[in-house]
Amino acid sequence: MKLKDLIHRIEEKVPTSSALSWDNVGLLVGDENQEIGTVYVALDATDEVVADAISQGADVILTHHPLLFSGLKQVTVGDFIGNRVIQLISHNVACYAMHTNFDVEVMGNLAAETMGLDSVRVLDATLQEETGNKGIGCVADVAPIALEGLAEKCREAFAISNVKVFGDRKQSIRRIAISPGSGKSEVENAIEAGAQVLITGDIDHHTGIDAVARGLAIIDAGHYGLEHIYVEYMAQLLQEIAPELVVRLAPAKEPFWILS
C-alpha cells in the first residue's frame, strides 16, 4: 500500500478540514508515494517513540500531537526536533499527525465512552453540519455522584495513576463536562453549559481555584491521562480500514512520576 492510500482512508474518517485554524496536521515528514507495510501509533513523536518505531521497522508513525508545530529555522542534530526529523528521513519513516481534527471528530465522544457516559452533547462547537454540531469536548448528565467518587471513576476509567482535583470532595455532581488535553480555555464553556465539574488536563493553580469560586470543580487527569486513548482507538481503526498493514503501538507510559 502507498502511504497516500492510507492517508485517504484515514481522512475519510478524520478529515484534516476539521482541524482548528492554528493547528498543524496531516503528513509532516515523508513521501506520500512511498510503499508502507508497518504503522506505528503513538501519542507523541518523542525520541523514544522514533527510536522504537525505527527498531520495529515501521514505515510511518501516526501521532496525535504534531511533531512539527511552529516553524523550524534549522534542521540539525543539535536541535532536538530537527534531530527527530533527520532520524525519520534517514530511515525512510514518515510521520503523520491528527490533532484537533481528531479532537473534533472523535476525542470528546471517545472520552465520554471511556467514562461510560451517554446522551452527550458538544461542549465547544467548532463545526456546524446538517447532522449536528461537532467540536471540542462534551457535556453529559449523570445520576448524582460525589466529586471524590467521580475522580476515582475517572482515574480507573483512563487507567492512570493519579488525578488532581479542585473542589469539595463531597460536592454532588449531576452534569459533567469533559475536554481531553489542555482544557483551560474550556472553563467558560463548561460554566455556561451548567456543568458542576470539568474533567480535563493542564490546569494551573489560579485557573483551578478561580473555577471553584465560580461553582465549577476541576478534575485534572493530565494531558496524557485523557488522550492516550487515541493510541488504542487508532489501532482498532487501522484494523478496519487497512487490515493488510502491520500495526505496532507505543508502550503505555505516563510521561512523569509523582513523589508523594
Side-chain angles (χ1 to χ4, degrees), residues 107-167:
M107 190 70 86
N109 288 334
L110 182 60
E113 181 182 319
T114 302
M115 283 288 292
L117 306 178
D118 52 25
S119 300
V120 301
R121 55 193 182 279
V122 175
L123 173 63
D124 182 4
T126 59
L127 288 177
Q128 289 75 44
E129 299 181 344
E130 292 183 1
T131 55
N133 292 338
K134 294 180 179 179
I136 303 298
C138 65
V139 180
D141 293 327
V142 297
I145 181 173
L147 178 60
E148 184 174 24
L150 181 63
E152 178 62 26
K153 180 178 180 180
C154 177
R155 189 186 68 81
E156 292 178 354
F158 286 91
I160 49 181
S161 62
N162 65 85
V163 298
K164 180 173 67 176
V165 184
F166 294 88

Side-chain angles (χ1 to χ4, degrees), residues 1-7 9-10 34-41 57-60 62 234-248:
M1 174 190 289
K2 288 188 179 296
L3 176 56
K4 64 181 179 181
D5 296 323
L6 175 61
I7 290 174
R9 296 182 195 183
I10 289 173
Q34 79 177 85
E35 292 288 340
I36 62 170
T38 300
V39 179
Y40 190 100
V41 185
D59 302 298
V60 57
L62 299 183
M234 283 306 302
Q236 294 178 11
L237 180 62
L238 289 169
Q239 289 179 352
E240 296 173 11
I241 66 174
E244 63 269 46
L245 296 176
V246 175
V247 179
R248 307 294 187 195

Side-chain angles (χ1 to χ4, degrees), residues 17 22 24-25 29 107 115 127 143 146 223 232 248 256 258:
S17 59
W22 49 262
N24 189 33
V25 300
V29 177
M107 190 70 86
M115 283 288 292
L127 288 177
H223 203 125
E232 187 59 39
R248 307 294 187 195
F256 60 88
I258 293 176

Side-chain angles (χ1 to χ4, degrees), residues 15-37:
T16 56
S17 59
S18 296
L20 302 187
S21 59
W22 49 262
D23 206 2
N24 189 33
V25 300
L27 182 61
L28 304 184
V29 177
D31 179 1
E32 66 176 10
N33 289 308
Q34 79 177 85
E35 292 288 340
I36 62 170

Side-chain angles (χ1 to χ4, degrees), residues 3-235:
L3 176 56
K4 64 181 179 181
D5 296 323
L6 175 61
I7 290 174
H8 176 72
R9 296 182 195 183
I10 289 173
E11 293 181 359
E12 284 186 326
K13 302 289 186 179
V14 189
T16 56
S17 59
S18 296
L20 302 187
S21 59
W22 49 262
D23 206 2
N24 189 33
V25 300
L27 182 61
L28 304 184
V29 177
D31 179 1
E32 66 176 10
N33 289 308
Q34 79 177 85
E35 292 288 340
I36 62 170
T38 300
V39 179
Y40 190 100
V41 185
L43 191 65
D44 299 277
T46 63
D47 292 339
E48 292 79 10
V49 161
V50 170
D52 193 35
I54 291 170
S55 71
Q56 297 204 45
D59 302 298
V60 57
I61 302 174
L62 299 183
T63 67
H64 179 47
H65 297 130
L67 169 64
L68 302 175
F69 200 79
S70 54
L72 288 177
K73 293 186 177 181
Q74 58 183 14
V75 181
T76 68
V77 294
D79 175 77
F80 76 102
I81 297 295
N83 185 55
R84 292 174 192 171
V85 173
I86 290 172
Q87 291 299 313
L88 291 170
I89 292 174
S90 63
H91 289 88
N92 200 30
V93 180
C95 190
Y96 181 95
M98 54 193 86
H99 189 211
T100 54
N101 53 326
F102 187 88
D103 291 338
V104 168
E105 295 288 342
V106 181
M107 190 70 86
N109 288 334
L110 182 60
E113 181 182 319
T114 302
M115 283 288 292
L117 306 178
D118 52 25
S119 300
V120 301
R121 55 193 182 279
V122 175
L123 173 63
D124 182 4
T126 59
L127 288 177
Q128 289 75 44
E129 299 181 344
E130 292 183 1
T131 55
N133 292 338
K134 294 180 179 179
I136 303 298
C138 65
V139 180
D141 293 327
V142 297
I145 181 173
L147 178 60
E148 184 174 24
L150 181 63
E152 178 62 26
K153 180 178 180 180
C154 177
R155 189 186 68 81
E156 292 178 354
F158 286 91
I160 49 181
S161 62
N162 65 85
V163 298
K164 180 173 67 176
V165 184
F166 294 88
D168 181 353
R169 65 179 66 225
K170 295 181 180 180
Q171 178 185 355
S172 180
I173 304 298
R174 300 175 306 283
R175 180 170 294 172
I176 298 169
I178 303 179
S179 181
S182 183
K184 179 178 179 178
S185 62
E186 297 301 334
V187 167
E188 291 295 332
N189 287 320
I191 292 172
E192 289 179 9
Q196 286 88 43
V197 64
L198 171 63
I199 301 173
T200 189
D202 297 347
I203 295 297
D204 61 81
H205 171 77
H206 291 290
T207 298
I209 63 174
D210 290 350
V212 172
R214 301 175 66 190
L216 180 71
I218 300 286
I219 296 175
D220 186 338
H223 203 125
Y224 169 89
L226 294 177
E227 290 194 331
H228 70 86
I229 54 178
Y230 161 87
V231 175
E232 187 59 39
Y233 176 89
M234 283 306 302

